[in-house]
Every structure is written in structure tokens, then in C-alpha cells.
Amino acid sequence: MADIIRDINLNNPTQRQYWQTFLSELDIDNFNVKELIGIEKIVGLFDGERLVGTGAIAGKVLKYIAVCDRGATSKGARFNQVMTTLENYMATLGRFHHFVFTKPRYIASFKHIGFGVLAESSLGAILEKGLPDVHSFIRQLPQMGNQTSRIAAVVVNANPFTRGHRYLIEKAATENDFVYVFVVAQDVSLFTTAERQMLVSKGVADLKNVVVVSGGDYMVSYLTFPSYFIHDETTVIDYQTTLDARLFKNIIAPARHITRRYVGSEPLSETTAHYNQTLAREFDDSIELTIVPRLNSQRQVVSARAVREAIATDNRQVWTEMVPETTALFISENITALQTRIRKGQKIDGN
Amino acid sequence: MEIKKTAMAGTLESSDVQIMLSQGSDGITFDLVSDVAKQFDDAIKATITAVLALYGVDNAEVKVVDKGALDMVIKARAMTAVQRALDLADEPNWEVM
């Protein structure tokens, strides 16, 4: 009998239990809220009443993909059927580009159906398929200098752009011929992506060798990398930061002859401190990492988080000390809107 | 004719082919994955290029995952993909068949 595709509904306790049991048997047992929350659709492949394959869609990400080949007509047939269903469903939503985060041993299966590897480590891999892809992203990046130029990169979320960001970028601009500033594009912060990008651009407008670009799908917050297939919570951050570092080192940097990366030192956040350590380890000799000590304002370390807290508590003096005039002007003009966003539940303690 | 939007047709199942078409600016460019690429790589590309030519498409990025599809299957999937990409899905161009 042919296998049938049906939707699985996690709000139904029986289906949820059945689904989780199936995945656990296939060694996927991380059902954290963080992993499940973005899921829009789950499909199940059934042989009669027996679940033999599944996969889920969360935005551009396909996850919880697993199949059991026991009783299948041919090896790989069920995997192909599940993936076809997921991809065709994505196509009806107008999504033709997707990512898979998976265990290294499944890389070959995904390559077989048209996925390309963006980064891999012993803990996991990021693959993508469709268009526009990483090559499209690289093509649209402006070209500055040539192989002989000294070219650096800075990646910022800039939520919002502070004097600290300015200090970091200015230092990079002084020490290099050209600097790419990649602004993280995920729209989950207090300041919208458009606002963040605009404030960075205005804040460095006078630095002629600096170009501000969107980080697209490739310079994202590593914290959003799905880790549903990782058992041990303590290795998650290592898995995430390693893939982020390798993607930058092996794909983005070489495409624009970037040989240096500047980051701020991180006295306040353990996660970011870990990230800086991973970058240093992974870049090794191929990219020179400069960790710049964080700028201090009169009272404390300049941080975007402190600025957001000051906005929430209406403490104008604090944010004026920490942000350049361009950002201060924007905050003053939009203070009511920003405070409303916070009141409506926008988190300000993340990044 | 120019591709209006990215479109896809076909499946990843055995004896089928999945074809994705997207806007291109550099002629017809292929990214092809196939178990039989060594023998049939050129034939698959030729079939798809011929279908695109029938619709007057000169520029496109084509991504193909072939699972051992026969020529007529490739042709049918290519036609569906191109009609979706040109927004002609509701008014198939029977003459090209």
C-alpha cells in the first residue's frame, strides 16, 4: 500500500505524543518550546496507521525531518516523498528558498535532492536549497578594493546604533582600506530592521571607506539556529557559534577578500563572550580577529541593551550619553512609538 | 520573455524530476543534481532549454533535481514550471506541445 501524507497537529495531545515518540526512536528528542514555537505546519507520512516519516516548516526552515525505512519499497523513497511535500507546500506560499539544520551524517541525503552545504562541524550542518541563495547574496554585495586591499568586516545588530558601534567601526575604518558593516536582518528587535540599517548608515555616513549592507539570510543571530537534533543543551551554543564562524570564514569572507573581523569585547554577556572565543578558534590564521575593548560612557559600559532599558524607563540622560546624535534624534522623535512597542510586549533584554 | 516569478514543478520521487525556474540575466544557467548526470546531463539540459525556447525565455536560472526521469517527463515538468513562472498557468499554451 502506498504511503499517505497527512498533517500532524501538535495541539492534539495524542498526535503530539505519537509524533514525539516516533522522533525519539530516531534519536531526535529535543522538543523545547524554543524549537517548536515557530512551526507552521507538520506533515506525517503514514503507512496505514503507522507513522513512517515526518517534517516541519518554520518560516524558511525545514526541521524535524525524519523517516523510518522499515517496510519501504526502496531506500530513500519516504525521505523524498516527505521532502517533496514540504517543498511543494512552501512553493504554494511563494517560498522557493529554504534551510535545513541537521546532523552531519544526513548531509549526503540532502545533497542528493539539491541542497548545498553552507557550513558543517562535527555537531551539525546548515544546508540550503532554492533561490535566491548564498551566491545571489554575494553577487549583490558591493565590491570594494581588490586582493591587495586590507578589507575588514563588522557584524552588528545595532538595536539601536550606539557610540560603541561607532567606535568599533571607526577603529576598523582607520586600520583598513575598506570595511563592510553587515546589519543583522532578522526583524525581531525593538528597532525594526529598516530602522537599524538606517541608523547605522547615518551613524557612519562620514566614513568614506565604510559600506553598510544587510546581513541577509547569512549573517543572522546564531542563537536562532535550530538545535532540535542536539541532545545536550550545553553543546548547543558551541554548535551554533561554530557554524556561524565557519559560514563567515569559508563563504562570505573569501567572496569579498575580507581578511579581518572586528568585534567588541564582551564583559556583560557570557554567550557573546563564548562567541568571540569561537571566532578566534575557527578563524585561526585565515582571518585576523580584533577584539576591541568596549567603550565606557560616564557611568557604565556602552551597550544597546542599556539604551533600550533607558527608553523603557524614559531616562533620556542615559541614552543621550550612549548614542550618537543621529540615533538620539531618532529616539526623541519616536519615543512614544518605541515605548508603545515595549508596552505591547516587545522584549528588550535579548539582543 | 522574462521570467516573472520563481516557480517550481515536479517531485523528488523516483522517475520524476523537480525543476525550479528563477529570473536570470546571463542566458540559461543550470544547477543540476542527478544520479545519472554523467550520462544524461547534456540531454536533460537540452530538453529543458528547448522548452524554454518555445516560450521565448532567454534568461533563467534553472535548478534541476533529477531522479531518473524520462525525456517526456522532463518536458512536461519543464512546461509546467515555465507556465507558472510566466504566470500562464491558467491559460496553457497548447501549441507548444
Side-chain angles (χ1 to χ4, degrees):
Chain A
M1 198 171 72
D3 301 334
I4 307 283
I5 290 279
R6 286 205 300 266
D7 280 3
I8 290 176
N9 179 3
L10 288 193
N11 294 324
N12 176 323
T14 316
Q15 289 188 19
R16 181 177 179 138
Q17 185 58 44
Y18 193 47
W19 182 72
Q20 294 194 350
T21 306
F22 173 73
L23 285 166
S24 300
E25 279 165 10
L26 293 166
D27 205 26
I28 295 174
D29 52 13
N30 179 343
F31 303 107
N32 259 336
V33 174
K34 196 165 68 72
E35 294 295 334
L36 297 177
I37 197 146
I39 292 180
E40 303 156 64
K41 185 185 181 75
I42 301 179
V43 300
L45 181 65
F46 290 86
D47 176 6
E49 284 306 306
R50 189 168 70 97
L51 184 60
V52 293
T54 185
I57 295 172
K60 290 180 174 182
V61 175
L62 304 181
K63 63 206 294 195
Y64 289 107
I65 295 160
V67 290
C68 164
D69 270 334
R70 192 158 43 88
T73 44
S74 69
K75 197 170 174 292
R78 284 174 176 162
F79 175 70
N80 293 344
Q81 200 177 343
V82 167
M83 291 304 294
T84 295
T85 306
L86 295 174
E87 291 186 2
N88 286 353
Y89 181 75
M90 297 276 269
T92 64
L93 301 174
R95 298 181 202 159
F96 295 95
H97 175 229
H98 36 268
F99 295 91
V100 161
F101 297 75
T102 189
K103 294 179 192 178
R105 68 168 179 271
Y106 298 128
I107 290 174
S109 304
F110 284 102
K111 273 186 167 172
H112 226 60
I113 56 168
F115 279 83
V117 177
L118 288 171
E120 62 177 290
S121 76
S122 58
L123 294 170
I126 315 178
L127 301 97
E128 71 168 346
K129 179 177 174 180
L131 291 166
D133 59 9
V134 72
H135 305 292
S136 324
F137 173 74
I138 285 168
R139 267 201 303 275
Q140 56 82 43
L141 286 179
Q143 193 114 34
M144 298 194 296
N146 53 45
Q147 274 112 314
T148 60
S149 312
R150 269 194 310 184
I151 303 179
V154 179
V155 181
V156 293
N157 192 37
N159 179 34
F161 185 79
T162 64
R163 289 184 198 275
H165 297 114
R166 165 74 197 198
Y167 174 71
L168 181 68
I169 295 167
E170 196 175 313
K171 181 170 167 65
T174 315
E175 295 173 357
N176 295 275
D177 296 327
F178 299 101
V179 179
Y180 286 92
V181 177
F182 294 94
V183 182
V184 171
Q186 278 152 317
D187 215 344
V188 292
S189 304
L190 172 60
F191 290 78
T192 67
T193 303
E195 290 165 356
R196 290 184 290 108
Q197 178 116 15
M198 181 267 294
L199 291 176
V200 177
S201 297
K202 283 194 174 165
V204 300
D206 59 310
L207 303 173
K208 296 303 170 206
N209 60 340
V210 173
V211 63
V212 179
V213 294
S214 165
D217 285 330
Y218 304 96
M219 311 282 217
V220 300
S221 166
Y222 50 85
L223 294 172
T224 62
F225 291 176
S227 55
Y228 64 93
F229 54 90
I230 296 195
H231 304 297
D232 181 1
E233 275 295 319
T234 59
T235 60
V236 167
I237 189 70
D238 192 30
Y239 143 79
Q240 290 170 326
T241 53
T242 302
L243 289 188
D244 177 281
R246 290 188 184 178
L247 174 56
F248 178 80
K249 172 187 164 184
N250 297 329
I251 298 186
I252 308 297
R256 285 294 176 273
H257 309 298
I258 295 165
T259 54
R260 291 167 153 202
R261 170 104 173 242
Y262 285 70
V263 295
S265 70
E266 191 45 74
L268 303 177
S269 152
E270 208 175 299
T271 313
T272 312
H274 188 112
Y275 180 56
N276 287 351
Q277 283 168 19
T278 306
L279 288 182
R281 184 193 73 215
E282 291 296 325
F283 287 176
D284 201 17
D285 291 338
S286 53
I287 294 170
E288 193 183 315
L289 180 72
T290 305
I291 299 179
V292 181
R294 288 279 285 264
L295 189 67
N296 285 283
S297 76
Q298 283 148 15
R299 269 169 295 204
Q300 51 180 326
V301 173
V302 172
S303 91
R305 178 193 294 218
V307 173
R308 297 193 296 275
E309 278 161 9
I311 291 169
T313 55
D314 212 19
N315 193 336
R316 176 178 299 262
Q317 201 189 342
V318 168
W319 86 62
T320 319
E321 276 170 22
M322 290 200 180
V323 301
E325 276 171 34
T326 44
T327 305
L329 183 65
F330 181 87
I331 296 176
S332 300
E333 284 174 354
N334 296 279
I335 186 69
T336 321
L338 291 165
Q339 287 172 343
T340 306
R341 285 180 203 169
I342 295 169
R343 263 203 315 280
K344 282 189 175 165
Q346 172 65 52
K347 286 209 162 63
I348 54 169
D349 56 352
N351 55 9
Chain B
M1 264 225 262
E2 291 299 316
I3 301 272
K4 291 193 178 133
K5 60 181 191 191
T6 303
M8 193 173 81
T11 78
L12 301 165
E13 293 172 39
S14 188
S15 308
D16 202 347
V17 62
Q18 184 192 60
I19 300 175
M20 185 187 286
L21 297 176
S22 196
Q23 280 180 351
S25 52
D26 189 21
I28 310 290
T29 56
F30 280 94
D31 172 9
L32 188 147
V33 179
S34 172
D35 299 338
V36 292
K38 279 205 185 85
Q39 301 101 303
F40 296 110
D41 181 322
D42 291 341
I44 295 167
K45 289 180 185 172
T47 300
I48 295 172
T49 306
V51 171
L52 291 173
L54 287 172
Y55 287 86
V57 175
D58 308 318
N59 291 301
E61 264 192 76
V62 188
K63 289 202 182 255
V64 184
V65 181
D66 172 60
K67 290 287 172 186
L70 295 174
D71 197 54
M72 59 202 170
V73 175
I74 298 171
K75 195 174 168 189
R77 294 305 195 189
M79 285 177 62
T80 309
V82 75
Q83 298 210 149
R84 286 175 177 165
L86 298 176
D87 252 340
L88 298 173
D90 295 336
E91 36 185 322
N93 184 353
W94 298 110
E95 285 174 20
V96 303
M97 299 185 88

